[in-house]
Amino acid sequence: ETMHLIRKDLFSMTINGMVFWVPISLSLFTIVPESLKLLVTNLAGFLYNVSLALQLPHSTHTTDTPPPPASIHTPHTPQEKAKDIHNPKATTIGSRGTSPD
């Protein structure tokens, strides 16, 4: 899918980049004073990146985030507490860590 999008949009993205960057580059060499070239270049790059971000398709799909590691999970039920490997006293359901009489 990514390669299809690249093939489809590469030419138009290249032309749009040239339309934006060629005038910026020409103005940097002819109009912009030496002391402001870095500022103008950074500002132009920021605006260009914002324009690219605004052209991205908006998706209602949220990013797939992996579930948190098991060590972060806080057990709530006695069964979960019994399975918790970080709680050595809760090895079996109903066990309170004491030896049977």
Side-chain angles (χ1 to χ4, degrees), residues 32-75:
V32 178
E34 187 72 30
S35 61
L36 296 178
K37 286 185 179 184
L38 183 61
L39 176 66
V40 171
T41 303
N42 285 332
L43 182 60
F46 176 76
L47 294 175
Y48 185 72
N49 286 325
V50 167
S51 71
L52 286 178
L54 292 174
Q55 293 174 19
L56 289 174
H58 296 289
S59 174
T60 57
H61 184 268
T62 59
T63 58
D64 293 330
T65 55
S71 61
I72 294 177
H73 174 70
T74 304

Side-chain angles (χ1 to χ4, degrees), residues 25-37:
S25 297
L26 290 175
S27 67
L28 282 171
F29 288 114
T30 58
I31 301 169
V32 178
E34 187 72 30
S35 61
L36 296 178
K37 286 185 179 184

Side-chain angles (χ1 to χ4, degrees), residues 80-91:
E80 288 178 335
K81 287 180 182 178
K83 292 179 184 177
D84 186 9
I85 61 170
H86 299 292
N87 187 357
K89 292 183 179 179
T91 54

